[in-house]
Amino acid sequence: MPTDDLILAPPPVAPVTTAVRLAYVWAHFARVYPGALAGALGYVGSGAAVEVANLADGFFGSNQPYPAEPNWREWQGQRVPFFFDNGTQPLLMLTPGRAEISADVVSAAFYLLSGWQEYFSEARDRHGRFPYVASVQARYGFVALPVVNYYLDVLKTAIEHVTGQVLRPRTWGPGALFAAFISHDLDNLRSAWKAPTKAALRAGRLLDFGQQLWQHWTRPDAWDNLEAVAAATAQYGARSTFFVLPEHRPGADGTPNADYALTARLWQRLAKLAKQGHEVALHASIGTADNFTHFDTERQQVLDVEGGGNRFHYLRWEPRLTPGIISKAGITFDSTLGFAEHFGFRHSYCHPFYPFDFSSGSAYEFFEIPLNVMDATLHNPAYLQLGPDEVLPALVPMLAEIEKFGGVATVLWHNQNFDPANTANGPRQFHEIMGWLRGRGAAFLTGTEIWSQFPAA
């Protein structure tokens, strides 16, 4: 796998035994399929009614980031990569009262859901992030497929066979089989004027240049649009989560933070939106993902209650440090974990989950709502370069997977991209996505509402 920057070796970890893997995966299975009977699932030799082949002990005894190439099988009409699968037997063998699964789907689910690859990989990009190009999702081409949900569906089929239960996935409200989390990172409120003004000056259009400056001095900035953003989501019966960036000075590495300060007037506007049912959360600045004191200072500045939500600016996340910082600070939910470079599933899972603590061998108590779609991903010289009419068609297969498994579609659309001047990944593309979600019956929920429906152990 390619590497940009190298970081220090991972710290010591607790043993990841078969029992650890089984407990972590079962906890998430039981949240997706409420009412599943505990004790039905085990590894070969356990005597459980559903036995899974144990094919991964050697791998989890090492610090290698990547397992052997997956074996591709068809499941429910979809080609799915199965890690820890020798492919010598049928995937699922059913006999009266028993089921055998020949691929180690428990270990494969644990590998992807825990983020093992990025914890043990040394690959980081210039923002300190685990890069998409270094992932198994990129190597084997399954970033838009929630592979862990397919593994859980194999387990579901086996458990239904041996117990006679019909396991139905959780629902998100009356008639809502899946949910949508609509969010906006407030990076810029004051800078819409800069690009057209500079362009006019470079082109020698002095009259246009003067008009741009006059509008900047006399009119609100086009990106100072929080109320318009809230109104746009409200058209669909949705309420937004606004991630507020409290630092306006650049990071130590020169990366920009907010172009605004948290004035009393801005807080008044945010408070008014909160009274309308929208949510205010923390957009922690550059330098907080690896510094508890810095992070907790910003948490106290933005979140006036215990808990609350967070997403890191530039999606910065150091897997060996950041989860512990979030946990120590008492954050309720985070929504950072998506690839900046590609839409899809960074942990190959379309439901919220509790991140794995490698130091303790158990789950953290904070809740991750994975990020699936970011506007900047869709049209950016460094990422994808989809045309204006290509955005929704590109996303629909991924969104349909979320609908299929009853998951959560997390959409990040920056407030600046509600500017009508943006025709590439702007308001039209946002409304197309929202129209599709509403048309398919998604429940639009805030982060706290999702967390409240998805309890810890």
Side-chain angles (χ1 to χ4, degrees):
M1 294 283 180
T3 302
D4 289 329
D5 297 315
L6 298 182
I7 59 174
L8 297 176
V13 301
V16 179
T17 63
T18 54
V20 167
R21 302 196 295 273
L22 187 61
Y24 185 68
V25 172
W26 178 261
H28 287 87
F29 178 89
R31 292 186 188 102
V32 173
Y33 299 105
L37 297 176
L41 178 65
Y43 274 102
V44 167
S46 67
V50 176
E51 290 194 330
V52 177
N54 183 2
L55 302 176
D57 271 348
F59 176 80
F60 289 107
S62 73
N63 289 350
Q64 295 300 314
Y66 307 111
E69 182 175 347
N71 179 45
W72 289 81
R73 295 180 184 259
E74 186 166 309
W75 181 258
Q76 305 289 24
Q78 174 67 52
R79 286 190 74 245
V80 178
F82 284 83
F83 292 95
F84 310 114
D85 175 17
N86 57 28
T88 59
Q89 294 179 294
L91 176 61
L92 182 58
M93 294 169 282
L94 304 177
T95 55
R98 292 190 57 77
E100 298 176 48
I101 302 172
S102 65
D104 192 345
V105 293
V106 170
S107 291
F110 174 85
Y111 170 77
L112 293 168
L113 191 56
S114 70
W116 179 283
Q117 62 174 342
E118 54 192 271
Y119 190 88
F120 289 102
S121 171
E122 294 183 340
R124 299 293 184 268
D125 68 12
R126 66 189 181 91
H127 293 295
R129 306 174 300 201
F130 177 68
Y132 169 64
V133 71
S135 70
V136 291
Q137 287 87 351
R139 171 177 280 193
Y140 302 116
F142 61 86
V143 69
L145 195 69
V147 170
V148 171
N149 292 91
Y150 281 92
Y151 296 161
L152 298 190
D153 195 64
V154 175
L155 296 178
K156 167 182 171 290
T157 302
I159 291 169
E160 286 180 331
H161 170 76
V162 301
T163 64
Q165 278 185 289
V166 176
L167 297 178
R168 303 192 186 282
R170 67 165 48 253
T171 57
W172 297 96
L177 300 181
F178 74 118
F181 175 44
I182 309 304
S183 62
H184 318 287
D185 293 357
L186 304 184
D187 299 344
N188 299 291
L189 298 177
R190 304 282 184 262
S191 300
W193 67 280
K194 292 181 178 179
T197 303
K198 290 177 181 178
L201 181 61
R202 283 195 300 266
R205 302 193 309 269
L206 298 184
L207 180 60
D208 188 16
F209 173 72
Q211 289 175 336
Q212 292 288 344
L213 284 179
W214 177 254
Q215 290 175 6
H216 169 57
W217 291 328
T218 60
R219 299 181 187 177
D221 195 276
W223 294 353
D224 191 3
N225 57 356
L226 306 187
E227 293 78 10
V229 171
T233 59
Q235 293 179 36
Y236 302 91
R239 288 159 297 167
S240 292
T241 296
F242 291 92
F243 287 93
V244 178
L245 181 55
E247 179 59 77
H248 66 274
R249 295 166 298 184
D253 61 1
T255 303
N257 281 307
D259 74 345
Y260 59 90
L262 290 177
T263 63
R265 172 59 181 152
L266 180 56
W267 277 122
Q268 290 171 359
R269 294 168 64 194
L270 290 167
K272 186 174 181 179
L273 292 175
K275 287 181 179 179
Q276 296 170 5
H278 300 281
E279 182 174 44
V280 176
L282 171 63
H283 194 31
S285 70
I286 301 299
T288 58
D290 59 2
N291 185 308
F292 169 76
T293 301
H294 191 177
F295 178 80
D296 199 49
T297 298
E298 292 194 356
R299 177 192 65 81
Q300 296 177 52
Q301 190 175 356
V302 173
L303 302 175
D304 58 359
V305 294
E306 290 297 317
N310 172 71
R311 177 182 291 137
F312 287 97
H313 191 35
Y314 274 74
L315 305 184
R316 292 202 174 188
W317 181 278
E318 172 44 59
R320 301 169 188 176
L321 296 173
T322 306
I325 289 171
I326 295 173
S327 180
K328 184 178 178 181
I331 288 291
T332 300
F333 74 88
D334 178 81
S335 188
T336 302
L337 289 176
F339 288 118
E341 305 95 318
H342 207 291
F343 58 84
F345 308 101
R346 177 165 167 171
H347 287 245
S348 296
Y349 195 52
C350 70
H351 283 84
F353 66 98
Y354 287 84
F356 188 74
D357 181 357
F358 285 92
S359 65
S360 70
S362 59
Y364 282 106
E365 293 186 358
F366 76 90
F367 187 64
E368 183 66 28
I369 307 175
L371 176 59
N372 307 124
V373 182
M374 178 173 69
D375 49 7
T377 301
L378 304 172
H379 187 82
N380 186 294
Y383 304 143
L384 302 178
Q385 298 181 44
L386 299 177
D389 297 322
E390 297 176 324
V391 169
L392 185 62
L395 296 177
V396 162
M398 179 203 68
L399 296 173
E401 292 289 336
I402 298 172
E403 179 188 14
K404 178 193 299 184
F405 289 109
V408 176
T410 302
V411 177
L412 160 56
W413 216 264
H414 292 78
N415 63 294
Q416 65 207 52
N417 288 329
F418 284 81
D419 184 346
N422 183 345
T423 59
N425 54 349
R428 177 166 74 85
Q429 288 75 26
F430 175 78
H431 285 290
E432 288 174 350
I433 294 168
M434 293 293 287
W436 190 94
L437 292 168
R438 182 175 65 177
R440 302 300 299 180
F444 291 103
L445 303 173
T446 65
T448 298
E449 288 172 334
I450 293 169
W451 166 78
S452 70
Q453 294 192 38
F454 227 79

